[in-house]
Amino acid sequence: MEEREKYRKGLEAELKKIQNANSEAMASFDEKLQKLFKQRIMYQKTINQEELKIVRLARSVYQSATLKEEDSDLYNLLEEFKNFKLKSQEEISDLKKISEKLKEDHEVMQAEDKAMEKAFKKDFSDLDIFALDMLSKLYRRRPKLSKQKSNTETMSRFPLPNLSSDESDKAYFEALAELDSDTNKPESIDDFVWERFIEVRRTKVENELFLKRHGQQLADLNNYLQRMVEEDEKTKKNIEDTFQKLNDLRDKRLKFIMNLEVQLLLKQGQIEVDAGIFSTEYSDALLIHRSVVEDLNSHIVTLGEAKVSAMIDCKDYYKNIHLLEWEHEQMQMEGEDLLTRTKEVQTLRVTKELQVFLFEDNTQQRMQKEVHTLEKTIKLNESMFQKKVKDKKRCLERLNRMIAEKENACKELDNDLKELAVSLVERQQIQEASGGNDILIATEQRMKDIVARRKLVELAKSQSQEVAVLRAEVERLRMKTFPALVQNI
């Protein structure tokens, strides 16, 4: 038994030794594992920081390339607009010169046309006034043709006046030949005069057609010039917009180059920027040294303590002032109260009751007499009040009976009125069925019915007014029956 006990104790000691060794090994393993875990977190943090730097650099390179490409595109577009504007300005200057020349030629042609019209009467001055007047009317007469719209959209790049006759001119001259026929010749005009007139009028018509085509060409040229000027203004605006966009893009590019992103590792308590929902925005943040913040905080604390002490001193000072003011006001009010009481005592009228109250020894007996008198007065008032209530109730019952009688009378009148209306309708039907022999009698009967109905309506109105007055009187009397107890203060 002893050997077994020793063997058991030896095994237990060995077990404890093994357990202690296992616990120490587990503790050392846990410690090493914790150190390795922390070291792994540090390495992972460093790797994430470097990956974030790589991502930021890649994004910066991509943004720089994008901005450069946008700058090149805007610059090329600006150069295209400038070249187009130079060409359009040259074309506009050429068109203006052509327009001025055509305008001068057109003015000269208009002057020649007016001179031809003035010279007509001089060429035919050998005729009498009547014949000259007839020729003047025929001279101003022109054939009527359907107007054709001018096509200004198919003009050349540099439109020049094309003054050759076309199909419309041929048709016009054919119509003019009909006017030149002998059928339109006045009888008082000789043949040689008529031939000379036809020649002059044809020359005038040709000049007018030439002047018209010239004016149309000038108008088309001016319209085309106006469109070119509008396109030039539009191009100028595009140049300004593109130039502004290019300047903005270059400012943005310069700001992107100068405003570099720096990645810093800070503790959580050192960041005083409000955290966003998904990510924190640091565009408006400032990087300040820790010593500056600590000095500023210590200075703020010092100033705050000084201000708090100054506020406490100011509070105590104003507290004493308010206390003195309150005591002064209290003393003033007490003095005013004493003066008021003094005046009341001086101005008090000594009545007979007051003298009795002051000089009478047995006041208890006097008080009992007054109480007895007041009780008698109260009883008397109550008896009078009961009598008045009974009288008012009798009056109220009488008024209610009168109201009921009036209402019954009104109902009877309403029934009579309905019967009269029914009889009136029956008589009208009888009259319509019988014919127009008794028109006068029916008319008189109708007038009587109308008068009777009018009287009944007026009677009903007057009785309803009387009922309303009686109801108001009943209400007033009913309200008087209630006692009004007013306490005099």
Side-chain angles (χ1 to χ4, degrees):
M1 292 297 292
E2 292 179 0
E3 290 179 359
R4 290 182 65 183
E5 186 68 23
K6 287 179 181 180
Y7 184 69
R8 187 178 63 79
K9 288 181 178 180
L11 291 175
E12 288 179 355
E14 190 176 355
L15 180 61
K16 288 181 179 179
K17 187 177 178 180
I18 293 170
Q19 287 179 352
N20 292 328
N22 288 332
S23 62
E24 289 177 359
M26 289 173 62
S28 63
F29 178 78
D30 291 338
E31 186 177 356
K32 289 179 181 179
L33 183 62
Q34 188 176 5
K35 287 181 181 179
L36 288 173
F37 182 70
K38 289 181 179 179
Q39 192 173 5
R40 180 179 178 276
I41 289 174
M42 292 295 294
Y43 289 156
Q44 189 68 37
K45 182 175 69 174
T46 306
I47 291 169
N48 291 334
Q49 290 175 5
E50 295 303 323
E51 288 180 353
L52 183 59
K53 287 181 182 179
I54 293 169
V55 171
R56 289 181 184 274
L57 289 173
R59 189 187 65 177
S60 300
V61 171
Y62 174 74
Q63 289 180 352
S64 178
T66 304
L67 292 173
K68 187 176 180 180
E69 186 177 356
E70 290 180 1
D71 191 333
S72 177
D73 294 339
L74 288 175
Y75 182 76
N76 294 331
L77 183 62
L78 182 62
E79 290 297 326
E80 291 178 1
F81 282 139
K82 286 182 179 179
N83 294 330
F84 183 77
K85 183 171 176 58
L86 290 174
K87 292 180 182 179
S88 64
Q89 284 181 349
E90 292 176 359
E91 187 175 354
I92 288 169
S93 62
D94 295 339
L95 289 175
K96 284 183 179 179
K97 292 178 182 179
I98 296 171
S99 176
E100 291 177 357
K101 187 176 180 303
L102 289 176
K103 188 175 180 181
E104 292 176 358
D105 296 342
H106 189 72
E107 290 177 354
V108 172
M109 292 177 185
Q110 285 180 344
E112 291 177 357
D113 185 72
K114 290 181 180 178
M116 289 177 65
E117 190 172 353
K118 290 180 181 179
F120 173 75
K121 291 184 179 180
K122 293 181 181 179
D123 294 339
F124 293 93
S125 60
D126 54 345
L127 300 176
D128 57 355
I129 297 173
F130 179 73
L132 184 61
D133 185 50
M134 291 176 64
L135 288 177
S136 297
K137 291 180 180 179
L138 292 173
Y139 182 74
R140 286 190 290 270
R141 186 178 177 183
R142 298 291 182 269
K144 295 182 180 180
L145 296 175
S146 60
K147 295 183 179 179
Q148 297 179 355
K149 295 183 179 178
S150 62
N151 188 6
T152 60
E153 299 295 332
T154 61
M155 295 179 63
S156 62
R157 189 65 177 170
F158 293 96
L160 294 175
N162 184 11
L163 303 179
S164 63
S165 62
D166 52 4
E167 295 180 358
S168 62
D169 293 343
K170 291 179 181 180
Y172 190 82
F173 281 114
E174 290 176 0
L176 184 64
E178 294 178 0
L179 294 177
D180 295 341
S181 62
D182 294 338
T183 57
N184 295 321
K185 184 186 76 170
E187 296 178 357
S188 61
I189 303 299
D190 296 332
D191 292 337
F192 70 94
V193 175
W194 178 249
E195 291 177 358
R196 188 157 56 97
F197 168 75
I198 290 171
E199 184 179 356
V200 171
R201 185 171 65 177
R202 186 172 289 272
T203 304
K204 179 70 167 59
V205 168
E206 289 176 355
N207 190 33
E208 286 179 353
L209 290 175
F210 185 83
L211 182 63
K212 182 179 179 181
R213 288 195 297 272
H214 195 277
Q216 184 65 36
Q217 196 70 24
L218 180 60
D220 295 339
L221 181 62
N222 289 329
N223 292 330
Y224 181 74
L225 180 61
Q226 182 65 29
R227 289 199 301 273
M228 290 296 297
V229 170
E230 291 176 356
E231 290 180 359
D232 185 70
E233 292 294 331
K234 186 177 180 180
T235 306
K236 182 179 178 182
K237 188 176 182 303
N238 291 330
I239 290 172
E240 292 176 355
D241 295 339
T242 308
F243 187 72
Q244 183 65 33
K245 290 180 181 179
L246 184 61
N247 289 332
D248 295 339
L249 182 62
R250 288 179 177 176
D251 292 339
K252 183 179 179 181
R253 187 179 176 187
L254 180 62
K255 185 178 179 182
F256 176 76
I257 294 171
M258 299 299 292
N259 189 13
L260 299 176
E261 290 185 356
V262 180
Q263 186 172 329
L264 298 173
L265 184 62
L266 298 174
K267 293 182 180 180
Q268 188 174 4
Q270 295 176 350
I271 300 174
E272 297 184 0
V273 179
D274 295 334
I277 299 174
F278 299 104
S279 62
T280 306
E281 182 65 29
Y282 295 102
S283 59
D284 298 333
L286 296 176
L287 184 63
I288 303 173
H289 198 269
R290 182 176 180 179
S291 60
V292 176
V293 178
E294 291 177 353
D295 294 339
L296 182 61
N297 289 334
S298 61
H299 185 63
I300 290 170
V301 170
T302 304
L303 292 176
E305 291 176 353
K307 186 169 183 179
V308 168
S309 62
M311 290 174 67
I312 291 171
D313 294 338
C314 184
K315 183 193 71 172
D316 295 336
Y317 179 74
Y318 280 109
K319 181 179 178 181
N320 294 328
I321 290 173
H322 290 315
L323 182 60
L324 291 173
E325 288 179 352
W326 183 81
E327 290 177 355
H328 179 67
E329 188 175 358
Q330 182 184 7
M331 293 174 69
Q332 282 184 347
M333 293 177 71
E334 288 178 354
E336 291 176 358
D337 186 59
L338 292 173
L339 289 174
T340 305
R341 290 184 180 183
T342 304
K343 289 180 181 178
E344 288 178 357
V345 171
Q346 289 176 357
T347 58
L348 183 63
R349 294 183 61 184
V350 183
T351 59
K352 191 172 182 180
E353 295 178 354
L354 186 58
Q355 289 178 2
V356 170
F357 180 76
L358 291 174
F359 298 108
E360 187 175 1
D361 295 333
N362 192 2
T363 57
Q364 188 70 25
Q365 186 177 0
R366 183 176 59 81
M367 292 295 291
Q368 290 179 356
K369 289 181 180 179
E370 291 181 357
V371 169
H372 185 67
T373 305
L374 290 173
E375 288 178 353
K376 287 183 178 180
T377 305
I378 290 169
K379 290 180 180 179
L380 181 62
N381 290 332
E382 288 179 354
S383 62
M384 294 295 292
F385 176 72
Q386 294 295 332
K387 289 181 181 180
K388 288 183 178 180
V389 168
K390 290 179 181 179
D391 294 336
K392 296 298 181 182
K393 286 182 178 180
R394 285 195 297 271
C395 184
L396 181 62
E397 291 176 356
R398 182 173 57 81
L399 292 173
N400 287 328
R401 286 195 299 272
M402 292 175 65
I403 290 169
E405 292 175 357
K406 295 293 183 181
E407 289 178 352
N408 293 326
C410 290
K411 289 180 180 179
E412 292 177 357
L413 291 173
D414 290 335
N415 295 327
D416 295 338
L417 184 61
K418 290 179 181 178
E419 291 176 358
L420 289 173
V422 171
S423 63
L424 178 62
V425 172
E426 291 176 353
R427 290 180 181 180
Q428 288 178 353
Q429 292 176 354
I430 292 168
Q431 182 181 356
E432 291 175 358
S434 61
N437 296 326
D438 300 332
I439 295 174
L440 295 175
I441 298 172
T443 304
E444 291 178 356
Q445 186 63 32
R446 191 182 299 112
M447 288 297 297
K448 289 180 181 180
D449 293 339
I450 291 170
V451 171
R453 184 178 179 281
R454 181 66 178 173
K455 289 180 180 181
L456 290 172
V457 170
E458 290 178 354
L459 180 61
K461 287 183 179 179
S462 63
Q463 288 181 355
S464 62
Q465 291 177 358
E466 289 178 0
V467 169
V469 171
L470 291 173
R471 284 180 179 174
E473 184 66 23
V474 168
E475 184 67 20
R476 186 176 64 80
L477 294 173
R478 187 177 65 81
M479 293 300 294
K480 281 185 177 183
T481 57
F482 293 97
L485 301 177
V486 179
Q487 184 179 0
N488 295 324
I489 299 173

